[in-house]
Amino acid sequence: MERLDRKNFPRSEQIPTGEALGRTTSEPVYAKLSSPNFHTAAMDGFAVQASDTFGASLDQAISFSIGKKAWPVNTGRPIPERTNAVIMIEHVNFVNDETFEIEKAVVPWENVRRVGEDFVQSEMILPSHHIISAYDMGALLCGGITKVSVIQKPKVLLIPTGSELVPVSAIESCIPAVGDTIEFNTTILAGLVTQAGGTADRADIIPDNYDQIKQALKSGIESDYDMVVVNAGSSAGSEDYTAAIIAELGEVLVHGVAMMPGKPTILGIIKGKPVMGNPGYPVSAVFSFETFGLPVIYRMLGSSMCNRPNMTAYSARKIPSKLGREELFRVKLGKVGNRVVAAPLPRGAGSITTLTRADGIIRIPSNVEGIEQGSMVQVELLNLPQQIERTLVIIGSHDLTIDCLADELVNHGMYVSSSNVGSLGGLLALKNDTAHVATSHLLDEETGVYNWSYIKRFIPDVPVEVFHGVMRDQGFMVKKGNPKAIRGFEDLTRHNVTFVNRQKGAGTRVLLDYYLNKVGIDASEIKGYELEEYTHTSVAVAVLSGVADVGMGVLAAARALGLDFIPVATEQYDFVVPQKYLDDEKVMRLLEILRSQTFKSRVTSLGGYGVGRSGERLIESK
Amino acid sequence: MERLDRKNFPRSEQIPTGEALGRTTSEPVYAKLSSPNFHTAAMDGFAVQASDTFGASLDQAISFSIGKKAWPVNTGRPIPERTNAVIMIEHVNFVNDETFEIEKAVVPWENVRRVGEDFVQSEMILPSHHIISAYDMGALLCGGITKVSVIQKPKVLLIPTGSELVPVSAIESCIPAVGDTIEFNTTILAGLVTQAGGTADRADIIPDNYDQIKQALKSGIESDYDMVVVNAGSSAGSEDYTAAIIAELGEVLVHGVAMMPGKPTILGIIKGKPVMGNPGYPVSAVFSFETFGLPVIYRMLGSSMCNRPNMTAYSARKIPSKLGREELFRVKLGKVGNRVVAAPLPRGAGSITTLTRADGIIRIPSNVEGIEQGSMVQVELLNLPQQIERTLVIIGSHDLTIDCLADELVNHGMYVSSSNVGSLGGLLALKNDTAHVATSHLLDEETGVYNWSYIKRFIPDVPVEVFHGVMRDQGFMVKKGNPKAIRGFEDLTRHNVTFVNRQKGAGTRVLLDYYLNKVGIDASEIKGYELEEYTHTSVAVAVLSGVADVGMGVLAAARALGLDFIPVATEQYDFVVPQKYLDDEKVMRLLEILRSQTFKSRVTSLGGYGVGRSGERLIESK
């Protein structure tokens, strides 16, 4: 049986104290010098023997000859032998150049920092396993420690495997071919190793070839790496060799863990060194490595596992989860009212942005079957609590201008958490008090007025104000050149035309249904009516990639992806704000930005937007 | 009037994405590629046109010819043109090498990650002013961003000034001479700049000479530094030139701030660049720089000031503070029961360890005159909240073994916050519920028994257990060779002998008084009886440095500083634990360590300790 070779951990090395920021002490550090190391004047003035000043008063000044019973001294300088106090320069009356008088005595050791006042030679300055701060470097130098013993940084080798992978360098000058996947998992893992206090090297990409992977792993083990990680090939597919190779070279301890994402994790030992096989989806790779790889690195650093800070949050939605395995969910966080609200991000383990957009992670244990909406959950924080305090939560209809708003808010030290759940979903979020602002463009088919009737109907108990956001052109997005010759709604029913729709509750879907109704088309006649996407850009991509021939959305989305656009209507996209949040700093800033020229020019340049009334408070039309 | 030259901030530069960890984006980053960038198989299996599978069931299998209507595909690979779904390999029944059957249909896009499922080309991946995480590097590369625009690191020049200063290199091989002060402030400040995201260079030490300092400052301003800091010489002493030099070269905006420590701060501008003069005491230098220098660096980085996380704590003691200036106090924190308790550290601005030992900082505003014991205060955290949760609070009598215990606890991921307030102070801390453990060696003069009678008298309402700590030798500490020939208590009354005492409430003082009483000496006969120190080592230093000729303390302290030791008594030093904390994980671990062989050998090697009964629970003797 293979065993981890522990004798080398933690390994220590001596480094100059001035370079020790963030490193971990390998042993307690004891002062070589006291601080201060000599009796030190704490004030500018004259050093004296305190007993020589006894009796001095307003009535009876005592005079001193400079250089005989009193010596000039500056702050930070040693006081002469046989003196034990300093008279402040401000308390001295000069008689002439050689003599001064005082009218007040000093007590022994007044205005003197005595030897060892802070710490004394032989005292412990830092314990072992302490992460050295900027302050600590100062204390060590102060104690005469110019070199400090720290734990060596564990060295990790990351081996990317996969025949579909191309290195970052390959896309620097040209667009990747279909089938080429950019290798970025090891860049993420290297960053995580660095942040944990280790160093990481990334090997060249190895194709899915048993012998080549084996060779790379073997040479990593035989070099001075403390740990080797193979990413990916940890599953059970026809080209997943990692487990077999580890078994050949050493021993597989674990293959597969009850955790999602991250299930196909391999843990093994070769020649006493820990080896890990990671799944290939980026989120799986991250969770697998953070859960099983980072603790090994922390252990090599001699530290107890450094957990992320926790926070209790209120779940904005029901989060279903399967029994029998731990599930990790990425969530957005924002403080709405007095509660921190957690909104789950999509589950897809291939979606790296579900990590970059996440503020925290919820772990649902294997014996729990999901979390109800409104229940309290523990969240491991990825962001600082103070950032979450400064996050504006916007829920509702998707529009590209939200990105502009978010980018402008960042300049004011505020952040946006936005969830695209459609206009109606946004209004309901206000009802549940899980958002500061809802975005909505719900057209009342009868009155032709936006939003108000929906607000009255769905959230009658939430007093809100409505602010004009933008006017925007909605229309059909089609491939360049409009190959299917789409002209109007009647074209959607043609047999050779596939439509892509927005989800129920989305304003764009309401708009579509309004027009279908108007021209007398039944939804069942449209092929693809049931194919739902959640954002304008997703619809545009569905068209671009051939999933559908046509979809409805805003001009800006079509333009961003080089699609043609057939205008259908101009509609009103608004911001709905509960009255109680009108004086929230973040909301106030949002409205200010909406009204700003910077925002208006920026949005105008996207195309298809009207910003004449942006930020205007709307009065309910009766 | 001088004005800050803002046109260059923030300055941006392009760097490889893989090197961008921790850097700040200078502009929003938009995806160049969608993710995925092609319709991607999400499972190993066969790519098909979903409509070809419709109707397949257990009764009616549908067969596929491989290479005609079905193509093998692995996870992560593109699906062929005109296919729109993947049949999982597990759901396939092979008829022969060229044919398989299925008994279940797939819906369009089943087991396929469609183009843009995560994000689409043109979508914003990161906003501006975003600090790039390991995850973000992955998302950027995934979006085809191989180079990223980030804000340049502000360059800061730190100029140490002071004729008393010697560089660290000077003490690497020899002990510093009396009067030499090791220059370490700029090492601390450089660390703070680095952590904030800038880079710092440290100039050579400049003596207190107007022209030389002026020259160094001028050449810093004329180089490519974004900010110059002169440390120290910011006060109004005869050798404090910084303000005059800045005034000559540019403009002094501020000289002196209503903040302690850090009052003599200078802020100025020379040729459009910010210049700062810092006070020389390390704590003053740090607070001055953190309060006025770091925000400038954050601003140069285009970020809003990144405040430290906050926590509410209960003040363990009254903290007096003067009206008219903001006062900053360093505090130790620990969670005792359900409350986080803040205990102020000494105020001395020269004591660097008051920063290294601090868990947080309390700011008392200029219009508040101190804080009462037991009031709630806001603490800026220097440590992680989870570290504070794992901190054992020990208050009471000082002993060198506490350092050993702390160092052993660190190995278990636990920390010690210890305050030396004497045995009685420790017991009272238990009464106020501000400590998990009190350390005490209070001798009952009548019974000769330690601690119990004091517990009964001072904390009758706190149910406690007492655990034997160590037996330790107490005695007289005198200079090497015992020049004043101290033999016993009667020698303390000699005219040529100066004593140094421990503070009231200290067990060592109780012991002294017990013996003085026994041999019939009046305290007033002892010169220096009123000179109080708080720890054994401080007493030892007072003797070593000539402040006193003799003091009482433990052998280990005398030995650590090379003093001679005349034994007086062996006494018992115990750990008093409220019953309600007996099952606290940290307390349990402490007791375990007390009983461990590792601890016992370690303490024995200090000298003068008996560890035979360490960790034993003591029964109250009636």
Side-chain angles (χ1 to χ4, degrees):
Chain A
M1 204 183 95
E2 288 267 354
R3 285 182 167 277
L4 275 187
D5 186 358
R6 290 166 192 267
K7 70 172 182 296
N8 287 325
F9 289 107
R11 279 198 305 264
S12 70
E13 61 181 337
Q14 285 245 329
I15 61 170
T17 300
E19 297 167 14
L21 187 65
R23 300 294 295 271
T24 305
T25 55
S26 60
E27 54 186 35
V29 188
Y30 300 95
K32 286 186 185 163
L33 304 173
S34 299
S35 170
N37 203 26
F38 45 84
H39 296 315
T40 308
M43 291 286 174
D44 292 353
F46 288 92
V48 294
Q49 176 67 252
S51 56
D52 290 343
T53 72
F54 293 169
S57 68
L58 285 174
D59 300 334
Q60 192 164 7
I62 294 183
S63 80
F64 283 84
S65 291
I66 299 171
K68 291 199 176 123
K69 290 191 135 190
W71 293 264
V73 69
N74 274 333
T75 307
R77 308 295 302 165
I79 57 170
E81 283 272 336
R82 265 181 289 279
T83 66
N84 65 356
V86 171
I87 304 167
M88 285 169 68
I89 190 78
E90 292 87 337
H91 294 169
V92 154
N93 303 318
F94 283 98
V95 178
N96 53 44
D97 280 0
E98 286 113 48
T99 317
F100 65 83
E101 289 183 345
I102 56 165
E103 293 168 343
K104 190 164 169 277
V106 286
V107 301
W109 307 108
E110 188 167 334
N111 300 325
V112 174
R113 296 186 62 228
R114 275 183 285 158
V115 167
E117 183 180 289
D118 188 8
F119 59 82
V120 306
Q121 174 196 340
S122 84
E123 230 176 294
M124 191 190 289
I125 300 182
L126 297 179
S128 55
H129 301 130
H130 176 87
I131 296 173
I132 296 170
S133 71
Y135 305 158
D136 293 332
M137 290 196 294
L140 291 171
L141 292 176
C142 185
I145 311 295
T146 57
K147 291 217 161 93
V148 60
S149 280
V150 296
I151 296 171
Q152 275 189 25
K153 295 187 174 200
K155 279 189 76 177
V156 180
L157 178 65
L158 304 168
I159 305 176
T161 71
S163 302
E164 75 281 15
L165 298 179
V166 296
V168 170
S169 58
I171 61 158
E172 268 168 1
S173 45
C174 59
I175 285 176
V178 170
D180 284 355
T181 297
I182 302 155
E183 198 291 297
F184 60 81
N185 279 1
T186 58
T187 303
I188 302 178
L189 301 187
L192 296 175
V193 170
T194 304
Q195 284 175 328
T199 58
D201 286 342
R202 295 159 53 211
D204 289 337
I205 295 167
I206 317 280
D208 293 317
N209 174 300
Y210 190 97
D211 291 327
Q212 283 180 264
I213 299 172
K214 178 179 152 188
Q215 193 43 50
L217 182 50
K218 202 155 165 277
S219 99
I221 291 288
E222 283 162 5
S223 309
D224 64 342
Y225 293 105
D226 300 308
M227 178 177 178
V228 182
V229 178
V230 180
N231 190 150
S234 66
S235 201
S238 59
E239 296 186 343
D240 291 328
Y241 303 125
T242 310
I245 294 169
I246 297 175
E248 185 189 331
L249 297 176
E251 183 178 355
V252 171
L253 302 177
V254 168
H255 189 185
V257 294
M259 177 179 95
M260 282 287 282
K263 186 165 162 291
T265 292
I266 304 169
L267 306 175
I269 301 175
I270 302 175
K271 292 194 199 295
K273 292 184 178 181
V275 178
M276 180 168 193
N278 271 327
Y281 278 134
V283 179
S284 311
V286 163
F287 284 160
S288 166
F289 186 71
E290 288 186 343
T291 308
F292 301 101
L294 285 186
V296 177
I297 293 171
Y298 284 117
R299 178 53 68 99
M300 286 174 176
L301 279 164
S303 86
S304 55
M305 175 65 182
C306 183
N307 291 319
R308 293 190 177 114
N310 264 259
M311 185 182 266
T312 305
Y314 169 94
S315 178
R317 294 211 286 280
K318 181 185 166 80
I319 310 178
S321 143
K322 277 197 187 156
L323 281 178
R325 64 187 189 198
E326 183 182 50
E327 286 205 58
L328 281 70
F329 292 88
R330 293 131 274 168
V331 295
K332 295 288 303 172
L333 297 173
K335 192 170 181 187
V336 181
N338 292 319
R339 302 181 308 190
V340 174
V341 172
L345 286 157
R347 294 170 179 240
S351 296
I352 179 68
T353 64
T354 60
L355 275 176
T356 60
R357 294 174 59 209
D359 300 308
I361 291 169
I362 292 175
R363 288 175 190 265
I364 304 186
S366 58
N367 62 346
V368 173
E369 202 172 358
I371 284 171
E372 291 304 312
Q373 182 191 343
S375 55
M376 302 306 284
V377 288
Q378 277 300 308
V379 186
E380 293 173 20
L381 294 182
L382 297 170
N383 266 334
L384 295 173
Q386 59 265 50
Q387 180 160 341
I388 291 154
E389 293 263 344
R390 294 182 68 75
T391 296
L392 179 73
V393 180
I394 303 180
I395 300 188
S397 168
H398 171 248
D399 189 80
L400 297 176
T401 55
I402 301 284
D403 277 350
C404 300
L405 289 170
D407 191 51
E408 293 291 329
L409 272 167
V410 161
N411 291 327
H412 300 280
M414 299 175 191
Y415 308 90
V416 167
S417 157
S418 66
S419 298
N420 305 317
V421 297
S423 297
L424 199 55
L427 295 183
L428 295 176
L430 298 189
K431 188 176 179 177
N432 293 331
D433 203 14
T434 56
H436 298 109
V437 176
T439 46
S440 178
H441 59 121
L442 290 164
L443 174 64
D444 186 319
E445 300 193 11
E446 286 174 24
T447 63
V449 170
Y450 283 87
N451 297 323
W452 283 111
S453 65
Y454 290 84
I455 291 168
K456 274 189 162 163
R457 182 164 153 213
F458 289 100
I459 54 167
D461 300 334
V462 185
V464 297
E465 300 280 352
V466 181
F467 296 88
H468 187 97
V470 289
M471 296 303 292
R472 59 183 196 181
D473 294 347
Q474 286 267 18
F476 295 127
M477 301 191 277
V478 295
K479 275 215 174 115
K480 199 91 197 159
N482 195 2
K484 293 284 169 87
I486 307 292
R487 297 279 171 265
F489 289 95
E490 55 287 349
D491 293 318
L492 303 185
T493 60
R494 292 206 324 253
H495 281 300
N496 68 340
V497 169
T498 304
F499 184 72
V500 54
N501 207 349
R502 288 291 306 281
Q503 87 280 15
K504 289 180 197 73
T508 304
R509 177 139 173 182
V510 171
L511 191 72
L512 171 79
D513 291 345
Y514 169 74
Y515 278 101
L516 291 181
N517 190 32
K518 212 164 147 183
V519 296
I521 294 173
D522 191 278
S524 66
E525 300 171 51
I526 301 173
K527 191 169 137 197
Y529 181 87
E530 70 293 342
L531 185 61
E532 294 182 350
E533 290 290 350
Y534 274 75
T535 69
H536 296 274
T537 32
S538 306
V539 169
V541 165
V543 173
L544 182 70
S545 66
V547 168
D549 300 306
V550 56
M552 242 179 105
V554 296
L555 171 62
R559 189 183 276 188
L561 289 168
L563 297 176
D564 276 2
F565 183 80
I566 298 116
V568 167
T570 296
E571 62 159 15
Q572 183 179 324
Y573 177 88
D574 292 336
F575 291 80
V576 185
V577 184
Q579 283 173 1
K580 63 178 172 178
Y581 296 134
L582 284 175
D583 57 359
D584 181 293
E585 191 191 354
K586 302 178 288 295
V587 170
M588 290 196 290
R589 185 64 77 175
L590 173 82
L591 295 175
E592 208 170 280
I593 291 172
L594 265 182
R595 295 176 194 126
S596 72
Q597 205 44 57
T598 318
F599 171 76
K600 291 182 176 183
S601 335
R602 201 166 164 174
V603 168
T604 305
S605 73
L606 293 173
Y609 285 104
V611 292
R613 298 175 63 197
S614 296
E616 194 177 296
R617 189 166 78 84
L618 300 178
I619 309 296
E620 182 181 358
S621 52
K622 303 287 172 184
Chain B
M1 205 183 96
E2 289 266 354
R3 284 179 168 281
L4 276 187
D5 187 357
R6 290 168 192 265
K7 71 172 181 298
N8 287 326
F9 290 107
R11 276 197 307 262
S12 69
E13 61 180 337
Q14 286 244 327
I15 60 169
T17 301
E19 295 167 15
L21 188 65
R23 301 295 294 272
T24 305
T25 55
S26 60
E27 56 188 32
V29 188
Y30 300 95
K32 286 185 185 165
L33 304 172
S34 299
S35 169
N37 202 27
F38 47 82
H39 297 316
T40 308
M43 291 286 174
D44 293 352
F46 287 92
V48 295
Q49 174 68 252
S51 55
D52 291 343
T53 71
F54 292 171
S57 69
L58 284 175
D59 300 333
Q60 190 164 7
I62 294 183
S63 81
F64 282 82
S65 292
I66 298 170
K68 291 199 178 121
K69 288 192 135 188
W71 293 264
V73 68
N74 273 334
T75 306
R77 309 295 301 167
I79 57 171
E81 283 274 332
R82 265 180 289 279
T83 65
N84 66 355
V86 171
I87 303 167
M88 285 169 69
I89 190 78
E90 292 89 339
H91 295 169
V92 153
N93 303 318
F94 284 98
V95 177
N96 52 45
D97 279 0
E98 286 113 47
T99 316
F100 66 83
E101 288 182 345
I102 57 165
E103 294 169 341
K104 191 162 169 272
V106 286
V107 300
W109 308 109
E110 188 167 335
N111 299 325
V112 174
R113 296 185 63 228
R114 275 183 286 158
V115 167
E117 183 180 291
D118 189 7
F119 58 81
V120 307
Q121 173 196 338
S122 84
E123 232 177 292
M124 191 191 288
I125 300 183
L126 296 178
S128 55
H129 300 131
H130 176 87
I131 298 172
I132 296 171
S133 71
Y135 305 157
D136 294 332
M137 290 196 294
L140 292 171
L141 293 175
C142 184
I145 312 296
T146 56
K147 291 218 160 96
V148 61
S149 280
V150 296
I151 296 171
Q152 276 190 25
K153 295 188 173 198
K155 279 190 74 178
V156 180
L157 178 65
L158 304 168
I159 305 175
T161 71
S163 302
E164 76 281 17
L165 299 179
V166 296
V168 171
S169 57
I171 61 159
E172 268 168 2
S173 46
C174 59
I175 285 177
V178 170
D180 285 353
T181 298
I182 302 155
E183 197 290 299
F184 60 81
N185 280 0
T186 60
T187 303
I188 303 178
L189 301 186
L192 296 175
V193 170
T194 304
Q195 284 175 326
T199 58
D201 286 341
R202 296 160 52 211
D204 288 337
I205 294 167
I206 317 281
D208 293 316
N209 174 297
Y210 189 98
D211 291 327
Q212 283 179 264
I213 299 172
K214 178 178 151 189
Q215 193 44 49
L217 182 49
K218 201 155 167 276
S219 99
I221 291 288
E222 283 161 6
S223 309
D224 64 342
Y225 292 104
D226 301 308
M227 180 176 175
V228 182
V229 178
V230 181
N231 189 150
S234 66
S235 200
S238 59
E239 295 185 346
D240 292 328
Y241 302 125
T242 311
I245 294 168
I246 295 174
E248 186 191 330
L249 298 176
E251 185 178 352
V252 172
L253 303 176
V254 167
H255 190 185
V257 293
M259 177 180 96
M260 281 289 280
K263 186 164 163 289
T265 292
I266 304 169
L267 306 175
I269 301 176
I270 303 176
K271 293 193 199 295
K273 292 183 177 180
V275 178
M276 182 167 192
N278 271 328
Y281 279 133
V283 179
S284 311
V286 163
F287 284 159
S288 166
F289 186 72
E290 288 186 343
T291 308
F292 301 101
L294 284 186
V296 177
I297 292 170
Y298 283 118
R299 179 53 68 99
M300 287 174 175
L301 280 165
S303 87
S304 55
M305 175 65 183
C306 184
N307 291 318
R308 293 188 177 116
N310 264 259
M311 185 181 263
T312 305
Y314 169 95
S315 178
R317 295 211 286 279
K318 183 185 164 81
I319 311 178
S321 145
K322 276 197 187 157
L323 280 178
R325 65 185 188 198
E326 183 183 48
E327 285 205 59
L328 281 70
F329 292 89
R330 292 130 277 168
V331 294
K332 294 289 302 171
L333 298 174
K335 193 170 181 185
V336 181
N338 292 318
R339 301 180 310 188
V340 174
V341 173
L345 286 157
R347 295 172 178 238
S351 296
I352 180 68
T353 64
T354 60
L355 276 177
T356 59
R357 294 175 59 209
D359 300 307
I361 291 169
I362 291 175
R363 289 175 189 265
I364 303 186
S366 57
N367 62 345
V368 173
E369 202 170 358
I371 284 171
E372 291 303 314
Q373 182 191 343
S375 55
M376 301 307 283
V377 288
Q378 276 300 308
V379 186
E380 293 173 21
L381 294 182
L382 298 170
N383 266 334
L384 295 174
Q386 59 267 50
Q387 180 159 340
I388 291 154
E389 293 264 344
R390 294 182 68 75
T391 296
L392 179 73
V393 181
I394 303 179
I395 299 188
S397 167
H398 172 246
D399 189 78
L400 296 177
T401 55
I402 300 285
D403 276 350
C404 300
L405 288 171
D407 192 50
E408 293 291 329
L409 272 167
V410 161
N411 290 327
H412 299 280
M414 298 176 191
Y415 308 90
V416 167
S417 158
S418 66
S419 299
N420 306 317
V421 298
S423 297
L424 200 53
L427 296 183
L428 295 175
L430 297 188
K431 187 175 181 180
N432 293 331
D433 202 13
T434 55
H436 298 109
V437 177
T439 47
S440 178
H441 59 122
L442 290 164
L443 174 64
D444 186 320
E445 300 193 11
E446 286 174 22
T447 63
V449 170
Y450 283 87
N451 297 324
W452 284 110
S453 65
Y454 289 83
I455 290 168
K456 275 189 163 164
R457 182 164 154 213
F458 289 101
I459 53 167
D461 300 333
V462 185
V464 297
E465 300 281 353
V466 180
F467 295 87
H468 187 96
V470 289
M471 296 302 292
R472 58 184 198 181
D473 294 347
Q474 286 268 18
F476 295 126
M477 301 191 276
V478 295
K479 275 215 174 113
K480 198 92 200 157
N482 196 2
K484 293 285 169 85
I486 307 293
R487 297 280 172 264
F489 289 94
E490 54 289 349
D491 293 317
L492 303 185
T493 60
R494 292 203 328 249
H495 282 300
N496 68 340
V497 169
T498 305
F499 185 70
V500 54
N501 207 348
R502 288 291 305 281
Q503 85 280 14
K504 288 179 197 73
T508 305
R509 176 139 175 183
V510 171
L511 191 72
L512 172 79
D513 291 344
Y514 169 74
Y515 279 101
L516 291 182
N517 188 33
K518 212 163 147 184
V519 296
I521 294 174
D522 192 277
S524 65
E525 300 172 51
I526 300 174
K527 189 168 138 198
Y529 181 87
E530 70 296 340
L531 185 61
E532 294 180 351
E533 290 289 352
Y534 275 74
T535 68
H536 296 274
T537 33
S538 307
V539 168
V541 165
V543 173
L544 182 71
S545 65
V547 168
D549 300 305
V550 56
M552 242 179 106
V554 296
L555 170 62
R559 187 183 278 190
L561 289 168
L563 298 176
D564 276 2
F565 183 80
I566 299 115
V568 167
T570 294
E571 61 159 15
Q572 183 179 324
Y573 178 86
D574 291 335
F575 291 79
V576 184
V577 184
Q579 282 173 2
K580 63 178 172 178
Y581 296 133
L582 284 176
D583 56 1
D584 180 294
E585 190 193 356
K586 303 178 288 292
V587 170
M588 290 195 293
R589 184 66 75 174
L590 174 83
L591 296 175
E592 207 170 279
I593 291 173
L594 264 181
R595 295 176 193 124
S596 72
Q597 205 45 57
T598 318
F599 170 77
K600 290 183 176 182
S601 334
R602 200 166 165 173
V603 167
T604 306
S605 74
L606 292 172
Y609 286 104
V611 292
R613 297 176 63 198
S614 295
E616 194 177 297
R617 189 166 77 84
L618 300 178
I619 309 295
E620 182 181 356
S621 53
K622 305 286 171 182

